[in-house]
Amino acid sequence: MSEISVRIEDRVLPSGLRLVAVHNPPSRTTSTMVQLKVSSLDERPGEEGLAYLTGACLDEGSTKRSADDLAREVESIGCSMDGSGAGGAIQGPAEQFGKSLPFLRELVLDPSFPPAEVQRVRDEVLAEITAEKNDPATVARRRFRQSIYGEHPFARPSWGSEASVQACSPDRLKTFHERQFVAPGGIIATSGPLDPKEALDQLEAEFRDFDGEAAERKDPPQLELPAESSDQHLPMDREQVHVLCGHLGIRRKDPDYLTLLVMDHVLGSGPGFTSRITKRLRDERGLCYTVHASISSSAGLQPGMFSAYIGTSPEHREEALTGFLEEMRRMRDTEVTATELKDVQDYLTGSYVFGLERNSQLVQYAIRCCRFDLPFDEIRRYPDKVRAISVDEVQGAAQRHLHPDRVSVVSAGAS
């Protein structure tokens, strides 16, 4: 059985900023990521998409350098750097770790939001929004999210609407950045061959004066399952129909998370072997090339979604939907077989190390541990936890979290 264990140390600064260092001795590179407590939940009415646009414009220049000059300086030390809606990341040779940190700080904390570049990025986003209106798969997914999340901010696209994007001026980006890009609740994580204490010392030296006050965040609307199922079709001039079926899901902190991860691979998301939905709708019935279902993959600090998806011919829409619902009920009503459970356990415990091979993956793992209050040695505990899951536990989790009689069904495409 594959195993992995890494040394991780952390430090919390007086500002509320948490620093994390992952020791990866064989590596010759480092990856460092800043993830602040910023999301669409922080957008006020009329600001929809502002978090996304702010992140997209971080690397368009700082108050010290133009975008080209900043990129040139970063490349001169063999590094690459990108911004995001909640911070940014830089990767490069381990010996350049110290030199890379000021550039990362400049990217995340000192953007200038030049008007010409903001206009260009805004135009690119508007073009994507227009293009997506003609893509039935995207149209179906958007409407499906709306049916699940209702008035919750997660119901809308991360980059907002045409009207809200057009309103995203450089001044609005600057105001949002000043308000939300603050230290409290933020995480800066690095992975590489440096001793963790030395790495933490260098991170602290660079970011110790980064502070600010946590911005007020209103609680989002409460999310609940609907009393009954709904079904809607959005006709579009296409040959295929894209069908989504599901309901509100779980938070990552849900005690059933790992059990539901196992259930997902039996039901509809397991690569390396045939899941039930894949076997029934693709292999046996030949209805599609792509079909999948999962509840664990979208779990976060807020509830994710259980969603099952298929792209098929319009005459097979009802058969595909029947297949989804019947397999959901079978997962609730009968135990998975011992063979199914063992196949999934073998796959999950044998493959998880491949998602932790690169420094960037180790950084993301460390940040997830911080965000979801997981111990840093969850890597070591993971195989035993997965192996300990029983057929009874899988059925029990399915009964608690799968609701085939309270699903939202949305399709778009040919009628």
Side-chain angles (χ1 to χ4, degrees):
M1 180 173 61
S2 300
E3 293 183 358
I4 186 170
S5 179
V6 294
R7 178 182 164 201
I8 304 177
E9 296 185 15
D10 69 328
R11 181 181 301 171
V12 179
L13 302 185
S15 64
L17 185 68
R18 188 172 184 178
L19 310 178
V20 187
V22 183
H23 192 210
N24 187 15
S27 178
R28 297 182 179 181
T29 63
T30 57
S31 178
T32 307
M33 178 179 290
V34 177
Q35 188 175 98
L36 306 179
K37 198 172 182 181
V38 185
S39 81
S40 60
L41 298 177
D42 300 307
E43 296 168 343
R44 297 170 181 173
E47 292 184 342
E48 294 84 1
L50 204 49
Y52 178 88
L53 264 294
T54 299
C57 292
L58 287 179
D59 56 5
E60 297 299 332
S62 71
T63 59
K64 299 177 182 177
R65 281 176 267 255
S66 68
D68 288 342
D69 288 343
L70 183 57
R72 193 178 300 112
E73 292 284 347
V74 170
E75 290 172 1
S76 73
I77 60 171
C79 294
S80 62
M81 187 169 68
D82 299 288
S84 74
I90 193 166
Q91 303 84 28
E95 61 268 21
Q96 302 292 355
F97 174 66
K99 291 183 178 179
S100 73
L101 295 182
F103 294 120
L104 180 60
R105 179 190 175 108
E106 187 174 332
L107 172 84
V108 176
L109 303 184
D110 198 22
S112 61
F113 301 114
E117 280 69 25
V118 170
Q119 180 66 54
R120 176 180 55 78
V121 173
R122 192 168 55 199
D123 289 345
E124 291 172 354
V125 172
L126 289 170
E128 288 291 335
I129 291 174
T130 298
E132 287 187 347
K133 290 180 180 179
N134 297 313
D135 177 37
T138 302
V139 169
R141 290 190 180 97
R142 291 275 175 86
R143 185 64 65 87
F144 180 69
R145 288 190 69 88
Q146 291 171 3
S147 71
I148 301 297
Y149 286 112
E151 298 300 316
H152 192 283
F154 285 2
R156 62 178 184 252
S158 61
W159 50 34
S161 64
E162 287 177 313
S164 65
V165 171
Q166 289 170 341
C168 287
S169 65
D171 285 344
R172 296 192 80 183
L173 295 179
K174 290 176 183 177
T175 299
F176 183 83
H177 182 272
E178 291 170 359
R179 185 180 82 220
Q180 298 299 153
F181 279 58
V182 294
I187 302 165
I188 303 179
T190 190
S191 177
L194 271 69
D195 179 81
K197 183 180 183 304
E198 179 183 351
L200 291 173
D201 287 345
Q202 292 195 49
L203 288 174
E204 181 173 0
E206 186 62 43
F207 290 95
R208 65 161 60 97
D209 62 344
F210 170 40
D211 51 20
E213 295 184 6
E216 182 181 355
R217 173 184 287 180
K218 293 183 178 180
D219 292 333
Q222 287 292 108
L223 294 166
E224 296 180 353
L225 286 166
E228 57 186 19
S229 295
S230 63
D231 190 341
Q232 57 182 311
H233 176 69
L234 309 172
M236 299 179 69
D237 186 16
R238 293 292 189 274
E239 293 183 358
Q240 268 202 327
V241 62
H242 298 266
V243 185
L244 288 118
C245 169
H247 52 65
L248 190 65
I250 62 165
R251 288 179 167 86
R252 176 58 182 84
K253 293 182 180 181
D254 193 293
D256 286 332
Y257 172 80
L258 275 183
T259 307
L260 290 169
L261 175 66
V262 170
M263 183 204 75
D264 277 348
H265 281 71
V266 176
L267 179 63
S269 66
F273 52 89
T274 303
S275 63
R276 290 180 176 182
I277 285 176
T278 303
K279 181 178 180 181
R280 174 173 179 167
L281 299 183
R282 188 190 70 184
D283 300 344
E284 295 178 357
R285 298 295 301 145
L287 303 188
C288 61
Y289 289 110
T290 302
V291 60
H292 55 78
S294 174
I295 193 172
S296 63
S297 60
S298 61
L301 290 173
Q302 293 287 314
M305 302 182 295
F306 169 73
S307 63
Y309 164 83
I310 187 170
T312 188
S313 301
E315 64 268 23
H316 297 311
R317 179 187 188 274
E318 297 309 313
E319 181 180 357
L321 179 56
T322 296
F324 287 153
L325 297 176
E326 288 183 353
E327 292 302 333
M328 290 172 69
R329 293 188 178 101
R330 184 157 75 102
M331 189 63 68
R332 287 171 51 93
D333 296 341
T334 63
E335 293 180 346
V336 301
T337 69
T339 299
E340 285 178 313
L341 179 60
K342 185 176 185 303
D343 285 346
V344 171
Q345 290 170 327
D346 288 345
Y347 172 77
L348 291 176
T349 58
S351 64
Y352 81 107
V353 295
F354 300 116
L356 296 166
E357 291 182 312
R358 298 192 296 271
N359 281 319
S360 59
Q361 294 169 323
L362 289 167
V363 163
Q364 291 165 0
Y365 166 79
I367 290 175
R368 287 197 301 273
C369 287
C370 295
R371 286 284 182 237
F372 301 128
D373 297 325
L374 300 172
F376 287 134
D377 69 348
E378 184 72 4
I379 292 176
R380 180 180 59 79
R381 302 180 185 194
Y382 175 82
D384 289 339
K385 286 185 174 182
V386 171
R387 290 286 183 193
I389 294 170
S390 67
V391 294
D392 289 340
E393 288 171 327
V394 173
Q395 185 180 11
Q399 291 171 345
R400 286 187 290 275
H401 298 285
L402 291 184
H403 306 282
D405 299 321
R406 303 171 72 180
V407 297
S408 295
V409 178
V410 175
S411 62
S415 298

